[in-house]
DNA sequence: TTGAAAGCGCTAACAC
DNA sequence: GTGTTAGCGCTTTCAA
């Protein structure tokens, strides 16, 4: 295995010079630099990351903690992180918490995360109070993407406004009796996001002077299947039923849409459905939604982390992400309107 | 920062003994071991991975190369790798190739992959001939999940049989004029998978003594949107049109399904659609498909890698994964039947 | 069963 | 602009 001193010897310089030259540091003459580059290339030299980590104390790796990797928001976000990292020579170390909060270890203080990464990007998830404590204790740049965590810099949309916007869209269309399908609190995927979205929904309804029957609230777990399930329960309701449903995610909305049509409801003529997210499949299915871009959010968060690592103190800070109402084909005025 | 010799000093033993004790190696008396464990814990000792990597030459990290991370198959697979890795103390280093083949560097020989990982898991993707060469050159356990790569151990379904099975299902229902939507070859996502699936389709059609008009073949890029697009082109065909369509992925099939219904076709009464994959959204939409489990495939591949690293020579080998026809609600006999 | 000591292959002062 | 040198914090012979 060719090491740095092989290169040094071959180029007739010292290892220190090789190190500087290869890392693009100043204080190397152009001539020596190009010579070193050439011989390094010729010898097929690849620096040992282990050695440079040990010597420099930097890992050039950022950790990504996610509750799921095979769900829309998280997949999109991870793609964004990766995009920013690679190309700048940083590595991405992925830690999947597996969603369920109970059996997971206290990762933040464990060897896995600790000492293996220079910075940490957390994807929106439920956190135990003691985990949040651990989080505050780790001494490295840290940002969360997707939802607010107490006292930690966050990049994400305004969930309250998203829910309110989409609900108001329905109200403007003339709906007076609107159902809600939200992510259950006891499901550990999220934390405050579901709750905040529910508040936006409630406020929109109340500000319009409408009432919300307790039979109009359904629970799901953000999956399509849970949307289907919720719609089955909805159809079991005695008439007159709500004429529209607000879903806390596009995936659930899709399930609702499928099941509604399966049961013979015409959407949007008989029944309107909306989601939140901007899922591609929702787009193709014609789902009205509030769009957001998890990839862009993750890229923003990653760039903050990198800037902080580059010495730019205060680079990491909370920032609101873009969102947009997209009206498509699953919303219309209610039937009797 | 507490290091190994702090622990050694506190426990009254040598660093060598601490090292052995903490890694569970033999030749440490139970008494010393438990004492060391206790003091290490007490001191909050966390070994420096950089140092142990350098000293041992092992990174305890496996690399995952994927063309996309935000697509169904890949997200599921990455989740599977993660599941096997963490808990055994291994890390997962993710490399996203970004799908497009042209502008990507020759990663395999680059510093990123090289010397940073102990083993490599490749997710089904298109590879340039020279990349395959690089692959053969790297000296570490290697497995690909999702599709055959020349001369490399692979875990995945029999794509030929999947396509043939799903096509025969349609033929048995009475369809005589079947369209195909397959992943384009010039789209760099895949490599042989699209082609193999096409062959299975063709063979099923020909063995049934049916013909395949050239107007019956559509191209997509595995996305839902491309399914929608293909269906628009299909509807522009003069009648009589094919009575069913085989799609090379569930996502495309979903797009086809949405657009078919949008255009007023009744599915399955007027038109049948099938996919391949077992996507959850397809399940909720009632899509007939050939199911596969990317997570299980990735777990299998990861376990092989780990076994090989544990010294079990020959642990890495090609293996066929499970698949199953799932008939749901998008297939029926053709209209005039 | 345990300890001493020599690296692993770089980086970072500091001197020249 | 370049070289010398002392670590970085472990693992791993080899002795004891």
């Amino acid at each position: 295995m060719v090491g740095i001193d092989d290169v040094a010897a071959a180029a007739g310089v010292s290892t220190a010079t090789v190190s500087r030259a290869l890392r693009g540091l100043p204080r190397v003459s152009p001539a020596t630099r190009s010579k070193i580059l050439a011989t390094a290339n010729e010898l097929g030299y690849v620096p040992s990351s282990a050695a440079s980590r040990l010597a420099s104390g930097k890992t050039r790796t950022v950790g990504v903690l996610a509750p799921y990797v095979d769900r829309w928001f998280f997949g999109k976000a991870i793609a964004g992180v990766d995009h920013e990292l690679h190309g700048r020579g940083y590595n991405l170390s992925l830690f999947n918490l597996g969603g369920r909060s109970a059996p997971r270890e206290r990762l933040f203080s464990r060897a896995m995360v600790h000492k293996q990464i220079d910075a940490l990007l957390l994807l929106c998830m439920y956190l135990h109070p003691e985990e949040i404590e651990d989080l505050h204790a780790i001494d490295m740049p840290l940002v969360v993407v997707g939802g607010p965590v107490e006292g930690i810099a966050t990049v994400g949309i305004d969930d309250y406004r998203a829910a309110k916007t989409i609900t108001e869209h329905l109200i403007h269309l003339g709906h007076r009796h609107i159902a809600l399908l939200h992510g259950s609190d006891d499901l550990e995927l999220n934390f405050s996001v579901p709750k905040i979205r529910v508040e936006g929904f409630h406020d929109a309804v109340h500000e319009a002077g409408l009432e919300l029957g307790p039979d109009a609230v359904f629970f799901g777990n953000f999956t399509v299947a849970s949307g289907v399930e919720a719609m089955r329960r909805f159809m079991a309701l005695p008439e007159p039923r709500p004429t529209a449903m607000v879903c806390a995610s596009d995936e659930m909305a899709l399930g609702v849409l499928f099941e509604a049509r399966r049961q013979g409801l015409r959407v949007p003529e008989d029944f309107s459905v909306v989601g939140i997210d901007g899922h591609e499949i929702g787009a193709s299915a014609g789902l009205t939604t509030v769009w957001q871009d998890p990839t862009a959010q993750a890229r923003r968060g990653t760039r903050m982390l990198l800037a902080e690592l580059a010495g730019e103190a205060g680079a990491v800070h909370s920032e609101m992400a873009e969102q947009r109402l997209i009206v498509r084909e699953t919303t219309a005025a209610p039937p009797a309107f």
Side-chain angles (χ1 to χ4, degrees), chain A:
Chain A
M1 198 86 272
V2 30
I4 196 172
D5 14 50
D6 296 312
V7 178
V13 295
S14 71
T15 62
T17 306
V18 174
S19 178
R20 289 186 209 108
L22 260 26
R23 286 182 298 151
L25 296 185
R27 303 177 165 215
V28 179
S29 76
T32 4
R33 188 186 302 276
S34 66
K35 176 169 195 178
I36 290 173
L37 255 35
T39 62
N41 193 49
E42 200 171 297
L43 266 46
Y45 170 66
V46 177
S48 152
S49 67
S52 82
R53 283 177 187 214
L54 180 56
S56 70
K58 276 101 172 55
T59 64
R60 292 194 74 82
T61 297
V62 349
V64 175
L65 239 52
Y68 299 100
V69 314
D70 54 357
R71 296 260 258 248
W72 184 79
F73 185 92
F74 305 100
K76 291 285 176 195
I78 292 167
V81 178
D82 178 280
H83 190 99
E84 291 294 328
L85 253 27
H86 293 130
R88 302 197 202 206
Y90 269 81
N91 281 123
L92 159 27
S93 197
L94 184 64
F95 299 91
N96 184 182
L97 258 25
R100 313 198 49 237
S101 54
R104 72 197 193 198
E105 320 169 56
R106 296 181 62 171
L107 264 187
F108 313 126
S109 49
R110 287 266 345 291
M112 299 198 120
V113 168
H114 214 47
K115 293 192 175 176
Q116 310 242 60
I117 57 180
D118 293 339
L120 183 59
L121 188 142
L122 218 64
L123 290 177
C124 133
M125 64 179 86
Y126 173 83
L127 292 174
H128 288 295
E130 62 264 31
E131 288 178 325
I132 296 188
E133 240 176 80
D134 287 346
L135 231 38
H136 281 117
I138 56 171
D139 184 34
M140 61 173 98
L142 171 65
V143 69
V144 3
V145 170
V149 170
E150 188 67 34
I152 294 178
T154 301
V155 176
I157 61 167
D158 180 343
D159 286 290
Y160 174 86
R161 193 158 63 76
K164 198 168 178 195
T165 299
I166 197 74
T167 308
E168 287 172 346
H169 167 63
L170 256 12
I171 292 170
H172 291 153
L173 284 171
H175 293 273
R176 313 293 299 164
H177 195 183
I178 303 173
L180 171 68
L181 170 53
H182 74 81
S184 164
D185 290 309
D186 55 43
L187 202 265
E188 41 283 300
L189 206 201
N190 259 273
F191 42 130
S192 37
V193 168
K195 206 160 64 188
I196 296 176
R197 291 187 179 174
V198 170
E199 284 170 15
F201 171 78
H202 277 148
D203 286 2
V205 166
H206 291 143
E207 285 175 16
L210 303 177
E211 289 299 316
L212 185 68
D215 59 336
V217 178
F218 297 83
F219 296 84
N221 62 7
F222 289 96
T223 64
V224 188
S226 75
V228 169
E229 186 46 47
M231 196 59 192
R232 294 216 174 103
R233 277 175 276 137
F234 175 90
M235 293 304 284
L237 247 40
E239 305 205 50
R241 303 187 202 98
T243 56
M245 190 182 284
V246 171
C247 304
S249 81
D250 278 359
E251 306 208 33
M252 292 195 292
L254 245 11
V256 167
L257 174 63
F258 296 153
E259 186 60 20
R261 290 190 170 148
R262 185 178 286 123
Q263 303 246 1
L265 278 185
R266 287 172 308 154
V267 177
E269 296 83 351
D270 299 331
F271 184 71
S272 290
V273 189
V274 299
I276 294 179
D277 273 350
H279 196 297
E280 289 76 8
I281 298 190
S284 290
L287 184 68
T288 292
T289 193
V290 173
W291 169 93
Q292 68 166 321
D293 186 347
T295 303
Q297 293 168 31
R299 291 180 64 164
R300 188 74 193 92
T302 307
R303 263 184 268 119
M304 288 179 182
L305 254 20
L306 260 18
E308 190 88 33
L309 287 176
E312 194 180 311
V316 173
H317 61 270
S318 288
E319 203 171 284
M320 217 59 122
E322 198 189 350
Q323 59 173 281
R324 195 166 58 238
L325 173 66
I326 300 185
V327 178
R328 289 193 280 239
E329 310 154 22
T330 57
T331 47
F337 198 62

